[in-house]
Amino acid sequence: IKQLSRRSCAIDLPNFTPRKSSAADIAGAARPGVVVIGDLSKCKKCPRWHVGASSGFMLTTSGVCATCYHVVNIPESATLIAMTGDGRIVPVKEILAANPYTDVVLLQLDGAGFTPLPLDTEAPVGSTVRVLSHPDDHFFTLSEGMVSRYVALPLEKGPGEVTFMAVTADFGAGSSGAPVFNERGGVVGLVNNTQSLYFDPRKGKDLQ
């Protein structure tokens, strides 16, 4: 938790050669680089330990992994572990950098030889995107949609704003931190939250 105050780090990203990729191409090639982030905590209602599953993705072969800030910011969690798409399970060694405003954190996993996913910036409104995530413990679920809009939201603390990309691809609880791919197979964002157009959580009923 104390390491969440770290704001920057230097990493070497792999080279990326853009090419049009089908959904099947992305599902096959990217799976080893998509991870399940598990936070282990002692239950307050029973004597068991429980693992909460979220999502993330690899950035380097040396074990740098990206996920959401809120996935890691769990003080009651005893430890964090990660499982890659090819079944490798390793502990999270440390937090390298974190940004609570954009809800992004970079983790250092134990080990080496991981499969990094390339980053890209090509994601105009109307373009196709795919998400590979773990909604409600349905691990490595692929969904497809489009970029519906970009929206600038004011920061909760301090001046300024942060821009979010809204997509129509399906995902749910457990998908936070998952990679959002464009049609070239590059990661253009990570899953942050879901919003319903019809349900108002403040009133507990559907909007008309």
Side-chain angles (χ1 to χ4, degrees):
I1 295 300
K2 291 181 180 179
Q3 293 174 353
L4 285 171
S5 62
R6 298 175 178 178
R7 290 291 176 262
S8 65
C9 68
I11 60 174
D12 292 324
L13 296 174
N15 294 326
F16 175 46
T17 302
R19 63 180 182 86
K20 194 170 182 65
S21 300
S22 68
D25 291 336
I26 291 175
R31 178 177 172 125
V34 177
V35 299
V36 180
I37 303 293
D39 63 276
L40 182 66
S41 59
K42 182 70 179 296
C43 184
K44 297 180 180 180
K45 298 181 180 179
C46 75
R48 298 178 178 272
W49 288 79
H50 299 289
V51 176
S54 300
S55 306
F57 61 95
M58 301 307 305
L59 289 172
T60 70
T61 59
S62 61
V64 179
C65 167
T67 187
C68 284
Y69 182 97
H70 73 262
V71 167
V72 179
N73 188 23
I74 307 176
E76 62 271 20
S77 176
T79 190
L80 290 173
I81 57 176
M83 182 182 75
T84 64
D86 48 8
R88 184 176 177 184
I89 300 175
V90 297
V92 175
K93 291 179 61 176
E94 65 176 318
I95 294 170
L96 299 177
N99 189 328
Y101 303 115
T102 55
D103 197 20
V104 178
V105 66
L106 299 184
L107 307 175
Q108 177 64 57
L109 305 187
D110 192 21
F114 295 94
T115 301
L117 301 184
L119 303 183
D120 200 1
T121 58
E122 185 72 24
V125 173
S127 62
T128 299
V129 289
R130 284 122 183 176
V131 174
L132 189 58
S133 68
H134 321 301
D136 196 26
D137 292 344
H138 292 76
F139 299 120
F140 301 99
T141 297
L142 183 69
S143 61
E144 183 176 277
M146 70 171 65
V147 179
S148 59
R149 68 169 183 158
Y150 286 89
V151 56
L153 301 176
L155 295 175
E156 293 184 4
K157 297 180 181 180
E161 59 186 22
V162 60
T163 299
F164 286 91
M165 176 175 63
V167 302
T168 61
D170 291 331
F171 50 81
S175 296
S176 291
V180 179
F181 299 93
N182 63 9
E183 291 183 287
R184 307 196 302 186
V187 178
V188 291
L190 78 168
V191 172
N192 169 269
N193 68 86
T194 62
Q195 291 184 342
S196 173
L197 298 177
Y198 304 104
F199 183 79
D200 186 348
R202 296 166 300 179
K203 299 179 180 179
K205 63 181 181 179
D206 288 342
L207 298 175
Q208 301 297 322

